[in-house]
């Protein structure tokens, strides 16, 4: 019934439906696995920075710890708060997870390996990334808990102050590469990574990605010492696992994006390979972890004024610099 | 006018340092009003003490401020000794000063570590400070056999003499501590966000600090140079060369700097004490049943958190007629509503962290 | 039987003798106003300002007794003369009456003045000193909580350590320690 030659299956991939399904499956598997390992790596790395051991019981060096935690979460009782808005409450984790996975379809890992090679890839990515605020607000509002609400409102209020500089910072890259296509952007870095001409843009973008993925020091929406767990306070069991996974995937995605936009994606010494992309992503993730362990949380008014009064003017300046480089 | 939200912070909350409930009136992110609700850890200590013998109360005092039990023991024991008119051998006084100052270091280390948590640097500062605190706990374990609740300072002296090697180990630890304190200073003062989050937040003017009854690092953080160890000297603090540490601006950062500098000062005192410790008895002869004469005494010491006073009324029997504890954390916490008007919710947590309440002592 | 009674009588006698001896010792050591006046001239004014009695325990520990009506006046007098640190309040159940003791420390003179006020049991009310020292706020609430002494003029006199629906005042001597029914 099923033909046994590979070419038949490859030809199936020409069909957009099959291609989409296979791509979705691939993305979810690879990213979930990567996230599992990265969470373990983060815990281990931060633990070493903090003079402790980190997970070391489940599996060799505790590498199965994330899996064990996930399993534990799946076995826990799924609590629905009595006065929660049921549909929004249930939909939020699903949306959060799927919206975190969605932008990966436009990310090329090699010149020819990409699920959807979009002409306006970067625009698609930015658009989907800004969509990810919706599940946060849903999760903040629906459980009828004040901590959730404050967390949700915080992230909605902050979103404006980081989305604009993010878009503006990317314009610098677009000016230099002259294309919206992700593959073209990487290929344009053949002669030199964009981090050199776009250093200012890189600084802005990495700051903004801290904010976007709500990682310390910008983890205001889930500031543990202030509002318990912020917008995820009322969630438990599978839903909490999905939210966590979605959040973390977001951080991974921004690292991948930085690697592609500023560090030449899959290009490396000797040969081009997705391996280089993975390595660069890992290094950026390690940087994020390092920052997490060494700074305290910024306050909300400081963050808003930082976004508006500092990042936006700076990113406008960055566009000027990019234009100047392009012209001269 | 924007709508106000009542937020219940606690009694179960990650950063209320125990079981404090704060009813916070919020206007957006701004705090309009804070009403602390305490008493979740109230154990009726003063009532229990009325039904216990004098000796039996010492272990109870361990549980007051459970992160600085030595200071509680000392405060109680000092009050009873004043009531008895008891002379304590000099060696015992030296040992007391050594353990009290080590306890102060341990307590400030804990406070410093937890302020890192409160400001949102989860566990980095805390794990570092706990590394040193652990050594002090080891030292105390070698003294008293316990790591929490020592019951070491007792009426007439201390429970046991210093074990072999204690002084050498303490000295080497203090040398190490000084280096580590430099690390903490890097992590606090050179951390721009940390400074931004604490500088100018929760400013307590010297006048208010005195009027509101602040004591300890909170008072000295406001620049008031007052310390019971100098003002109303007890034990043998006047033998040593040290000075009172103060902050400058009365904000959260000043209070944190007072902790850090006091640790250095305490290390100085311990070193001097170890250098000059005389041989002799470690405990005066005290009868098994302590029966102080009729009388009243109010005695205070400078605990890590401030002025810790015990008022004991003896009626000539083996039980105190009335025992009252003036706990520094209780008074310092009562300042919170005054400091937290119009600040952000994140600052509220920072201010609470620098007031450093311990709920065993607030609720008693 | 007889011998035991005798023994106990003897014991009591001995104890009383010991007490008397000790009292004598204390009385011998007792400081007078004149002893500390050179270093602390304010003591004369304190003595004149409607104080019932003065007992000088140590040269920096002075106990005074004040009538209930004069408390507020006396306290503001103290505040004006440098007694700025309000250390603590405690209530005592003396059997026939309550006693409220205020410990006030002067950061300038480095002396502690402890003010006693007798409060009758059938009318347990004193004036609040919160308007003078704001630090007294929670202390007065605690004393109210434990003794049921009402502080007139306190801005927010509620129970502080015990739950709002607690019955009785636990530090009074007639409070019975018994198992209470919990929810």
């Amino acid at each position: 019934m099923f033909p046994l030659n590979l070419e038949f299956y490859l030809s199936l991939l020409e069909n957009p439906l099959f291609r989409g399904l296979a791509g979705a499956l691939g993305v979810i598997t690879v990213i979930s696995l990567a996230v599992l390992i990265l969470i373990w790596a983060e815990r281990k790395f931060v633990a070493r920075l903090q003079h402790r051991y980190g997970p070391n019981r489940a599996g060799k060096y505790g590498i199965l710890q994330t899996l064990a935690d996930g399993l534990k979460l799946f076995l826990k009782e799924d609590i629905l708060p009595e006065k929660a808005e049921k549909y929004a409450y249930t939909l939020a984790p699903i949306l959060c997870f799927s919206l975190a996975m969605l932008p990966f379809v436009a990310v090329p890992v090699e010149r020819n390996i990409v699920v959807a090679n979009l002409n306006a890839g970067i625009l698609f990515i930015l658009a989907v990334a800004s969509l990810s605020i919706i599940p946060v607000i849903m999760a903040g509002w629906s459980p009828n808990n004040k901590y959730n609400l404050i967390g949700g409102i915080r992230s909605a209020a902050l979103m404006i102050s980081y989305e604009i500089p993010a878009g503006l910072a990317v314009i610098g890259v677009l000016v230099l590469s002259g294309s919206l296509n992700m593959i073209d952007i990487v290929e344009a870095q053949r002669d030199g990574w964009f981090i050199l001409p776009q250093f200012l843009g890189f600084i802005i973008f990495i700051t903004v990605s801290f904010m976007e993925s709500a990682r310390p020091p910008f983890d205001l929406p889930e500031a543990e010492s202030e509002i318990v767990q912020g917008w995820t306070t009322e969630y438990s069991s599978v839903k909490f696992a999905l939210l966590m996974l979605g959040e973390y995937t977001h951080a991974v995605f921004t690292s991948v994006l930085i690697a592609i936009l500023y560090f030449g994606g899959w290009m490396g010494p000797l040969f081009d390979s997705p391996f280089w992309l993975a390595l660069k992503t890992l290094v950026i993730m390690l940087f994020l972890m390092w920052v997490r362990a060494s700074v305290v949380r910024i306050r909300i008014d400081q963050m808003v004024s930082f976004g508006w009064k500092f990042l936006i003017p700076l990113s406008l300046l960055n566009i000027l610099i990019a234009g100047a480089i392009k012209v001269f | 006018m924007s709508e106000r939200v009542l937020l219940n912070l606690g009694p179960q909350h990650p950063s209320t340092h125990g079981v404090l409930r704060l009813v916070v009136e919020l206007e957006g992110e701004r705090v309009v009003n804070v009403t602390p609700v305490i008493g979740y850890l109230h154990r009726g200590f003063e009532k229990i003490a009325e039904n216990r013998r004098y000796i039996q109360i010492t272990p109870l005092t361990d549980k007051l401020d459970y992160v600085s039990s030595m200071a509680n023991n000392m405060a109680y024991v000092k009050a009873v000794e004043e009531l008895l008119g008891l002379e304590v051998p000099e060696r015992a006084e030296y040992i007391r000063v050594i353990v009290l100052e080590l306890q102060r270091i341990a307590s400030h280390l804990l406070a410093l570590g937890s302020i890192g948590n409160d400001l949102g640097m989860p566990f980095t500062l805390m794990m570092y400070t706990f590394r040193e605190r652990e050594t002090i706990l080891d030292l105390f374990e070698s003294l008293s056999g316990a790591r929490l609740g020592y019951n070491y300072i007792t009426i007439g002296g201390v429970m046991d003499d210093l074990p072999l090697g204690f002084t050498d180990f303490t000295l080497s630890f203090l040398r190490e501590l000084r280096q580590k304190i430099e690390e903490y200073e890097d992590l606090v003062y050179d951390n721009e966000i940390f400074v931004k989050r604490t500088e100018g937040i929760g400013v307590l003017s010297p006048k208010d600090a005195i009027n509101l009854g602040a004591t300890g690092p909170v008072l000295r953080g406001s620049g008031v140079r007052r310390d019971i160890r100098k003002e109303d000297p007890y034990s043998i603090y006047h033998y040593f060369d040290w000075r009172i540490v103060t902050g400058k601006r009365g904000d959260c950062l000043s209070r944190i700097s007072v902790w850090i500098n006091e640790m250095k000062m305490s290390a100085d005192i311990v070193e001097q004490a170890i250098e000059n410790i005389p041989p002799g008895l470690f405990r005066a002869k005290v009868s098994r049943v302590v029966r102080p004469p009729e009388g009243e005494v109010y005695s205070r010491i400078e605990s890590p958190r401030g002025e810790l006073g015990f008022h004991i009324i003896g009626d000539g029997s083996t039980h105190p007629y009335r025992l009252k504890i003036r706990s520094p954390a209780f008074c310092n916490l009562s300042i919170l509503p005054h400091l937290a008007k119009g600040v952000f919710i994140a600052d509220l947590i920072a201010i609470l962290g620098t007031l450093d309440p311990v709920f065993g002592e607030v609720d008693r | 039987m007889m011998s035991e009674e005798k023994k106990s009588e003897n014991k009591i006698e001995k104890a009383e003798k010991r007490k008397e001896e000790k009292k004598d010792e204390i009385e011998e050591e007792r400081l007078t106003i004149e002893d500390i006046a050179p270093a602390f001239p304010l003591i004369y004014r304190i003595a004149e300002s409607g104080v019932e009695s003065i007992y000088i325990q140590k040269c920096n520990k002075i106990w005074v007794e004040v009538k209930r009506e004069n408390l507020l006046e006396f306290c503001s007098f103290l505040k004006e003369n440098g007694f700025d640190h309000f250390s603590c309040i405690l209530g005592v159940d003396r059997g026939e009456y309550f006693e409220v003791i205020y410990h006030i420390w002067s950061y300038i003179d480095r002396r502690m003045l402890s003010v006693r006020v007798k409060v009758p049991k059938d009318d347990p009310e004193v004036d609040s000193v919160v308007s003078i020292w704001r630090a007294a706020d929670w202390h007065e609430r605690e004393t109210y909580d434990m003794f049921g002494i009402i502080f007139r003029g306190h801005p927010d006199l509620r129970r502080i350590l015990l739950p709002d629906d607690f019955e009785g005042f636990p530090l009074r001597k007639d409070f019975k320690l018994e198992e209470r029914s919990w929810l």
Side-chain angles (χ1 to χ4, degrees):
Chain A
M1 193 177 170
F2 296 106
L4 278 171
N5 59 357
L6 193 65
E7 280 156 29
F8 172 72
Y9 289 105
L10 282 176
S11 69
L12 270 184
L13 283 182
E14 300 293 319
N15 185 327
L17 181 69
F18 282 111
R19 196 185 162 86
L21 275 178
L25 206 67
V27 164
I28 290 179
T29 333
V30 172
I31 299 303
S32 300
L33 266 178
V35 164
L36 282 188
I37 292 168
L38 274 172
I39 289 177
W40 168 79
E42 165 152 12
R43 292 179 63 174
K44 209 69 184 167
F45 182 65
V46 171
R48 294 318 299 170
L49 289 178
Q50 295 177 343
H51 194 262
R52 54 192 174 92
Y53 292 111
N56 60 358
R57 283 286 176 271
K60 192 84 178 160
Y61 305 115
I63 198 160
L64 295 177
Q65 186 63 48
T66 329
L67 209 63
D69 281 348
L71 200 67
K72 179 207 73 177
L73 276 177
F74 275 76
L75 292 175
K76 289 245 165 175
E77 187 193 354
D78 186 14
I79 300 165
L80 179 74
E82 199 176 327
K83 291 191 176 167
E85 168 66 42
K86 210 161 117 195
Y87 298 107
Y89 181 80
T90 320
L91 203 57
I94 300 168
L95 261 184
C96 180
F97 182 71
S98 45
L99 280 176
M101 291 291 179
L102 193 56
F104 278 103
V105 299
V107 170
V109 289
E110 240 275 35
R111 193 193 307 237
N112 301 316
I113 308 176
V114 57
V115 179
N117 187 8
L118 303 172
N119 278 331
I122 187 77
L123 286 187
F124 171 78
I125 283 169
L126 284 179
V128 173
S130 12
L131 266 185
S132 66
I133 194 70
I134 290 175
V136 177
I137 296 174
M138 278 165 75
W141 168 75
S142 59
N144 205 2
N145 178 316
K146 282 170 191 163
Y147 290 116
N148 280 51
L149 188 67
I150 293 173
I153 290 173
R154 271 186 179 186
S155 59
L158 294 179
M159 179 221 172
I160 306 166
S161 62
Y162 61 72
E163 277 300 334
I164 297 169
L168 291 176
V170 171
I171 288 177
V173 172
L174 301 185
V175 168
L176 286 184
S177 66
S179 170
L180 289 172
N181 188 302
M182 297 292 277
I183 295 174
D184 290 347
I185 290 173
V186 177
E187 286 303 324
Q189 300 179 51
R190 186 64 72 184
D191 304 327
W193 294 350
F194 281 159
I195 181 161
L196 290 174
Q198 276 292 299
F199 190 71
L200 187 60
F202 164 70
I203 297 289
I204 297 166
F205 196 79
I206 201 163
T207 318
V208 167
S209 24
F210 273 114
M211 296 175 171
E212 194 161 359
S213 48
R215 285 185 61 83
F218 302 105
D219 58 338
L220 292 157
E222 50 194 48
E224 200 206 345
S225 61
E226 296 154 26
I227 48 172
V228 191
Q229 263 297 319
W231 57 283
T232 57
T233 305
E234 279 290 351
Y235 281 91
S236 53
S237 180
V238 186
K239 286 174 188 152
F240 181 72
L242 284 179
L243 287 177
M244 277 281 294
L245 216 59
E247 270 294 289
Y248 207 84
T249 312
H250 219 88
V252 175
F253 174 71
T254 48
S255 313
V256 174
L257 200 60
I258 290 169
I260 284 179
L261 291 180
Y262 295 97
F263 290 96
W266 56 82
M267 289 191 289
L270 304 177
F271 55 91
D272 292 356
S273 153
F275 166 72
W276 292 118
L277 183 64
L279 191 69
K280 287 166 186 173
T281 310
L282 187 65
V283 171
I284 297 165
M285 282 300 291
L286 286 178
F287 176 72
L288 297 188
M289 296 165 194
W290 179 36
V291 171
R292 175 192 146 170
S294 48
V295 294
V296 299
R297 191 183 305 111
I298 200 166
R299 212 171 53 214
I300 185 158
D301 62 318
Q302 289 168 344
M303 177 160 164
V304 171
S305 59
F306 179 66
W308 282 101
K309 291 181 192 158
F310 188 73
L311 283 182
I312 291 182
L314 215 59
S315 49
L316 289 173
L317 179 73
N318 177 52
I319 295 174
L320 277 183
I321 293 172
I325 291 170
K326 188 77 177 173
V327 172
F328 301 111
Chain B
M1 241 355 233
S2 48
E3 257 181 72
R4 289 187 179 175
V5 177
L6 268 189
L7 184 71
N8 246 321
L9 251 105
Q12 309 297 333
H13 187 278
S15 55
T16 48
H17 289 229
V19 280
L20 167 69
R21 177 172 157 229
L22 292 173
V23 181
V24 186
E25 206 176 310
L26 284 177
E27 208 177 271
E29 285 265 340
R30 288 228 180 244
V31 175
V32 182
N33 235 330
V34 185
T35 319
V37 180
I38 59 171
Y40 290 92
L41 206 60
H42 179 64
R43 291 152 294 182
F45 186 98
E46 290 167 14
K47 190 74 183 172
I48 297 173
E50 282 175 16
N51 298 305
R52 289 224 186 185
R53 285 161 196 273
Y54 282 96
I55 284 271
Q56 290 174 323
I57 296 170
T58 336
L60 272 183
T61 59
D62 285 335
K63 276 80 183 174
L64 273 177
D65 178 352
Y66 40 77
V67 298
S68 57
S69 304
M70 290 287 189
N72 303 325
N73 287 351
M74 177 68 193
Y76 168 69
V77 162
K78 177 172 164 266
V80 177
E81 280 165 4
E82 275 182 25
L83 201 58
L84 285 166
L86 194 69
E87 279 287 314
V88 180
E90 193 159 44
R91 186 177 172 84
E93 292 283 24
Y94 270 92
I95 297 175
R96 282 178 179 185
V97 167
I98 291 170
V99 295
L100 282 174
E101 293 308 309
L102 282 176
Q103 182 74 82
R104 191 181 311 276
I105 295 171
S107 172
H108 284 347
L109 281 172
L110 178 73
L112 185 66
S114 52
I115 191 71
N117 269 14
D118 290 345
L119 290 171
M121 176 162 49
F123 290 108
T124 308
L125 198 48
M126 192 165 210
M127 292 308 296
Y128 288 143
T129 56
F130 264 54
R131 178 182 52 194
E132 271 70 66
R133 188 169 178 269
E134 207 63 17
T135 319
I136 297 180
L137 293 191
D138 287 345
L139 283 170
F140 284 169
E141 194 180 358
S142 74
L143 276 178
S144 65
R147 298 168 64 80
L148 195 71
Y150 313 107
N151 190 21
Y152 179 65
I153 297 175
T154 183
I155 299 169
V158 292
M159 274 293 185
D160 207 345
D161 209 344
L162 296 179
L164 210 64
F166 181 89
T167 48
D168 293 339
F169 192 68
T170 311
L171 286 176
S172 71
F173 161 70
L174 291 176
R175 268 197 299 279
E176 204 178 301
L177 180 76
R178 278 176 216 278
Q179 290 167 7
K180 302 290 187 199
I181 286 177
E182 276 170 28
E183 274 180 25
Y184 308 147
E185 284 177 336
D186 286 350
L187 204 53
V188 172
Y189 299 138
D190 294 353
N191 191 334
E192 200 162 319
I193 304 178
F194 197 107
V195 173
K196 270 239 165 79
R197 277 294 306 280
T198 49
E199 201 170 26
I201 302 300
V203 179
L204 186 65
S205 69
K207 211 178 153 193
D208 278 352
I210 291 173
N211 197 15
L212 287 167
T215 48
V218 180
L219 180 72
R220 293 195 284 279
S222 294
V224 185
R225 197 173 289 275
R226 295 289 177 247
D227 191 315
I228 295 169
R229 285 174 290 173
K230 285 265 192 209
E231 295 230 314
D232 190 5
Y234 57 95
S235 197
I236 49 164
Y237 277 104
H238 51 284
Y239 287 9
F240 306 116
D241 174 32
W242 63 284
R243 59 189 172 73
I244 302 172
V245 176
T246 52
K248 283 196 185 81
R249 294 171 302 269
D251 54 4
C252 291
L253 192 61
S254 314
R255 294 194 271 273
I256 294 168
S257 74
V258 168
W259 290 336
I260 294 176
N261 292 330
E262 257 185 23
M263 280 195 269
K264 293 182 197 164
M265 206 45 82
S266 294
D268 276 357
I269 297 175
V270 175
E271 275 173 359
Q272 291 174 42
I274 286 179
E275 216 169 276
N276 302 324
I277 187 164
L281 286 174
F282 58 84
R283 194 176 177 185
K285 278 223 159 73
V286 182
S287 67
R288 234 156 244 245
V289 181
V290 179
R291 199 191 291 269
E294 237 177 285
E296 268 182 62
V297 69
Y298 179 60
S299 92
R300 316 174 299 158
I301 68 157
E302 182 78 21
S303 94
R305 261 151 266 284
E307 176 188 337
L308 177 62
F310 273 75
H311 185 119
I312 299 179
I313 302 178
D315 56 355
S317 72
T318 51
H319 306 273
Y321 182 77
R322 167 99 170 91
L323 185 143
K324 156 85 189 172
I325 302 145
R326 189 266 184 211
S327 81
F330 180 78
C331 305
N332 288 351
L333 185 67
S334 72
I335 301 170
L336 182 69
H338 300 273
L339 284 184
K341 282 218 164 72
V343 298
F344 285 100
I345 191 166
D347 296 336
L348 172 69
I349 306 293
I351 293 168
L352 179 65
T354 52
L355 292 180
D356 191 24
V358 170
F359 281 85
E361 198 178 43
V362 173
D363 296 341
R364 283 157 290 163
Chain C
M1 280 294 281
M2 281 295 283
S3 60
E4 271 182 18
E5 269 178 23
K6 262 192 179 173
K7 262 185 188 175
S8 62
E9 270 176 21
N10 276 341
K11 260 189 180 178
I12 290 167
E13 271 175 24
K14 268 186 184 173
E16 276 177 0
K17 261 190 185 174
R18 222 188 293 151
K19 258 188 197 174
E20 276 168 15
E21 277 168 17
K22 279 202 173 168
K23 258 186 187 171
D24 289 342
E25 276 172 27
I26 291 166
E27 270 167 18
E28 276 168 27
E29 287 168 6
R30 196 171 254 186
L31 293 160
T32 55
I33 293 177
E34 281 73 30
D35 288 338
I36 67 160
F40 186 52
L42 193 69
I43 191 83
Y44 287 123
R45 287 180 62 197
I46 290 174
E48 284 160 11
S49 58
V51 175
E52 296 262 285
S53 66
I54 294 190
Y55 161 49
I56 297 162
Q57 190 179 24
K58 274 190 206 166
C59 60
N60 66 351
K61 275 191 183 144
I62 302 155
W63 300 72
V64 296
E65 195 179 326
V66 175
K67 268 195 179 154
R68 190 152 65 128
E69 302 82 57
N70 299 339
L71 177 72
L72 211 55
E73 201 184 320
F74 185 68
C75 282
S76 41
F77 162 74
L78 286 182
K79 177 75 194 288
E80 280 161 22
N81 288 292
F83 282 84
D84 45 5
H85 175 56
F86 189 89
S87 185
C88 109
I89 293 185
L90 70 151
V92 188
D93 186 348
R94 293 281 188 192
E96 295 94 53
Y97 57 92
F98 290 128
E99 204 173 80
V100 184
I101 304 176
Y102 300 77
H103 291 296
I104 301 149
W105 174 258
S106 166
Y107 276 136
I108 301 160
D109 277 320
R110 304 197 172 185
R111 255 170 253 275
M112 176 150 282
L113 205 77
S114 304
V115 183
R116 272 173 214 278
V117 179
K118 276 183 187 161
V119 182
K121 275 200 164 172
D122 50 349
D123 175 30
E125 275 196 10
V126 276
D127 286 321
S128 165
V129 294
V130 175
S131 53
I132 300 168
W133 296 284
R134 276 197 286 168
D137 186 349
W138 281 23
H139 291 290
E140 286 184 351
R141 274 177 72 184
E142 193 197 335
T143 314
Y144 164 71
D145 199 355
M146 296 301 168
F147 288 92
I149 295 167
I150 292 162
F151 291 86
R152 264 186 311 237
H154 187 282
D156 182 23
L157 198 65
R158 285 179 294 128
R159 283 189 182 274
I160 185 164
L161 291 175
L162 298 172
D164 288 336
D165 55 354
F166 193 87
E167 279 169 23
F169 299 101
L171 281 182
R172 288 185 180 184
K173 290 285 177 191
D174 56 6
F175 183 81
K176 284 202 175 58
L177 289 176
E178 57 187 13
E179 192 77 21
R180 257 149 247 282
S181 61
W182 304 103
L183 276 178

